[in-house]
Amino acid sequence: MASCAVLHLLVLVLPSIILALTDANLEGDALYALRRAVKDPGHVLQSWDPNLVDPCTWFHVTCDGDNRVTRLDLGNAKLSGSLVPELGKLVRLQYLELYMNELVGPIPKELGNLKSLVSLDLYDNNLTGIIPASLSKLSNLKFLRLNSNRLTGRIPRELTKLASLKIIDVSNNDLCGTIPTSGSFSKFTEESFVNNSRLEGPELMGFVRYDAAGSCK
């Protein structure tokens, strides 16, 4: 009878253990992809060992009670290199702090998969390319700071759907077109958008948008 009880318990518990290990492997792989993509002169990622299945033991990584990654604290870490699309697999991530580094290249559109994200801080880097419209899927996002990069293109109108957004800062880039004024953007001041020499000012509600036509790249 005892062996039957143990077997029954294993049948109940084993799938959840396997699932937890699978999630840990996926998240560990995603973080290690970031480590491979950047140079780390200060060795802040030295503990990110792919042989340790659980990334919750790594420095600068915070996890919840289910051992899922909820926070990456890598601000001002002297990292150079590029962001990786694998970061989009960290679906419980709430805080992505990669500000004040020397990161280059585009913001991966896969960051739009981070449905739990509350704060996205990528300011003071050398990121290029557009602001991905996929960030509009981050329904829990409160803080979006992309200032002091080299981002180009328009501010995606889709971002106005982010009802929880309290702070946006895209200043000191090379954005063009006009500033959205609908939805959550109605409460933001010009300070959020300054020092983008090609931005033409806020769009006029009820009129044809300034950037409805023409080139803006």
Side-chain angles (χ1 to χ4, degrees), residues 1-17:
M1 289 292 291
S3 60
C4 288
V6 170
L7 184 61
H8 182 65
L9 185 63
L10 282 173
V11 169
L12 291 174
V13 173
L14 201 57
S16 61
I17 293 174

Side-chain angles (χ1 to χ4, degrees), residues 13 17 52 56 86 137 142 149 171 181 194-195 211 214:
V13 173
I17 293 174
L52 299 176
C56 299
E86 286 87 348
K137 297 190 291 183
K142 293 182 179 179
N149 279 287
S171 62
T181 54
V194 296
N195 295 328
D211 60 355

Side-chain angles (χ1 to χ4, degrees), residues 134-149:
S134 61
L135 299 184
S136 65
K137 297 190 291 183
L138 304 177
S139 59
N140 293 302
L141 195 67
K142 293 182 179 179
F143 309 103
L144 178 60
R145 287 175 278 237
L146 306 176
N147 48 295
S148 301
N149 279 287

Side-chain angles (χ1 to χ4, degrees), residues 65-128:
D66 297 325
N67 279 3
R68 304 293 298 279
V69 177
T70 58
R71 186 171 186 130
L72 284 185
D73 286 298
L74 291 168
N76 199 19
K78 300 180 180 177
L79 301 177
S80 61
S82 57
L83 299 174
V84 292
E86 286 87 348
L87 289 173
K89 296 177 182 177
L90 304 174
V91 294
R92 297 266 190 102
L93 194 67
Q94 297 176 28
Y95 296 89
L96 181 54
E97 308 293 335
L98 283 163
Y99 56 86
M100 295 177 69
N101 283 292
E102 298 175 24
L103 299 172
V104 298
I107 300 171
K109 66 181 187 300
E110 288 81 4
L111 296 190
N113 297 329
L114 302 177
K115 301 298 178 61
S116 302
L117 204 63
V118 172
S119 181
L120 178 57
D121 284 314
L122 302 177
Y123 61 87
D124 279 322
N125 280 287
N126 290 300
L127 298 171
T128 54

